[in-house]
Amino acid sequence: MDATGIKSYFQFQNVDWQAMRSATWETIWMTVVAAILVVIIGLLLGLLLYQTRNSQNGLLRILNWIVSLLVNVFRSIPFIILIVLLLPVTKDIIGTIIGPKAAIPSLVISAAPFYARMVEANLRDIDSGVIEAVTTMGASNWEVVTKVLLPESKPALIAGATVTTISLISYSAMAGAIGAGGLGNLAYLDGFQSNNNTVTLVATVIIACIVFIVQFIGDRWVKAIDKRTI
């Protein structure tokens, strides 16, 4: 296809740029809010899984098994199916199943287990000798968590949060296909269903730019705090 053919195929004058800006903001808003909640919940779940994995306490072992089972179950459900299954829950929590706010519960429930497993894996990579040394010196569990586990794994946790946030961007696009708003919704309704390939193209480019920006910020952040970086 030559330049003339491309120009005729993509009609940029048919793009509603105001709607595109609004959809971009909705995607960013959904991603940021969901990412914050996912990091908090995933961090807590990951710490719980790590701290109870070898516990001699029967109740803690049962708790570990239950949490691990739930994490594995929700990780295994495809997002597009999960968001449909959670429609009644979303309706009860948010009051609606349409719009950016309605996508938040599904985004969080789908991504938090994924990040929790990443947190657990990163904590397991910490040198056990360091933990034993701190424990021998009389440190409490809280001090071990705040002064050893989290500081030592911070670069890996941030890198994992970056990967999870990028996944949330793609999830938000899928959520848009069933009325959650954002660039995915715009690309589906105004692009695909209206046979307007230009809208789909522009929405795709904007999503790709958001992903690149998130990855760049995450990489720079990790590089700035990683003590192993030379």
Side-chain angles (χ1 to χ4, degrees), residues 107-173:
L107 290 172
V108 173
I109 292 175
S110 65
F114 173 74
Y115 186 62
R117 282 301 186 191
M118 298 182 71
V119 171
E120 182 190 14
N122 292 331
L123 294 177
R124 288 187 177 188
D125 289 337
I126 298 174
D127 187 358
S128 60
V130 177
I131 300 175
E132 291 176 0
V134 175
T135 304
T136 302
M137 295 173 62
S140 64
N141 286 335
W142 176 253
E143 289 174 330
V144 171
V145 170
T146 57
K147 296 182 179 180
V148 179
L149 295 180
L150 295 182
E152 289 294 323
S153 61
K154 188 183 295 184
L157 293 178
I158 293 174
T162 301
V163 173
T164 305
T165 302
I166 291 174
S167 297
L168 285 170
I169 296 172
S170 65
Y171 289 166
S172 71

Side-chain angles (χ1 to χ4, degrees), residues 25-129:
W25 164 246
E26 288 179 349
T27 294
I28 294 173
W29 183 86
M30 279 190 288
T31 302
V32 171
V33 173
I36 293 173
L37 294 175
V38 164
V39 168
I40 294 173
I41 297 173
L43 189 60
L44 294 176
L45 289 176
L47 283 168
L48 177 62
L49 290 170
Y50 175 80
Q51 293 284 61
T52 60
R53 73 193 191 287
N54 294 322
S55 177
Q56 301 301 316
N57 187 303
L59 292 178
L60 291 180
R61 292 177 64 180
I62 293 174
L63 177 62
N64 179 276
W65 182 84
I66 293 174
V67 173
S68 181
L69 177 64
L70 292 175
V71 165
N72 290 338
V73 167
F74 283 106
R75 283 179 62 203
S76 65
I77 302 176
F79 178 73
I80 197 66
I81 297 176
L82 180 64
I83 195 172
V84 173
L85 291 174
L86 292 176
L87 286 179
V89 177
T90 301
K91 177 68 174 179
D92 291 338
I93 296 176
I94 306 299
T96 180
I97 59 173
I98 303 297
K101 290 183 179 180
I104 298 300
S106 298
L107 290 172
V108 173
I109 292 175
S110 65
F114 173 74
Y115 186 62
R117 282 301 186 191
M118 298 182 71
V119 171
E120 182 190 14
N122 292 331
L123 294 177
R124 288 187 177 188
D125 289 337
I126 298 174
D127 187 358
S128 60

Side-chain angles (χ1 to χ4, degrees), residues 9-37:
Y9 187 74
F10 295 113
Q11 301 291 331
F12 289 97
Q13 66 271 19
N14 294 332
V15 177
D16 185 343
W17 295 105
Q18 180 60 40
M20 189 67 69
R21 285 192 292 271
S22 178
T24 301
W25 164 246
E26 288 179 349
T27 294
I28 294 173
W29 183 86
M30 279 190 288
T31 302
V32 171
V33 173
I36 293 173
L37 294 175

Side-chain angles (χ1 to χ4, degrees), residues 204-218:
T204 302
V205 170
I206 294 175
I207 290 174
C209 289
I210 296 174
V211 169
F212 293 151
I213 292 172
V214 170
Q215 187 66 64
F216 175 78
I217 293 174

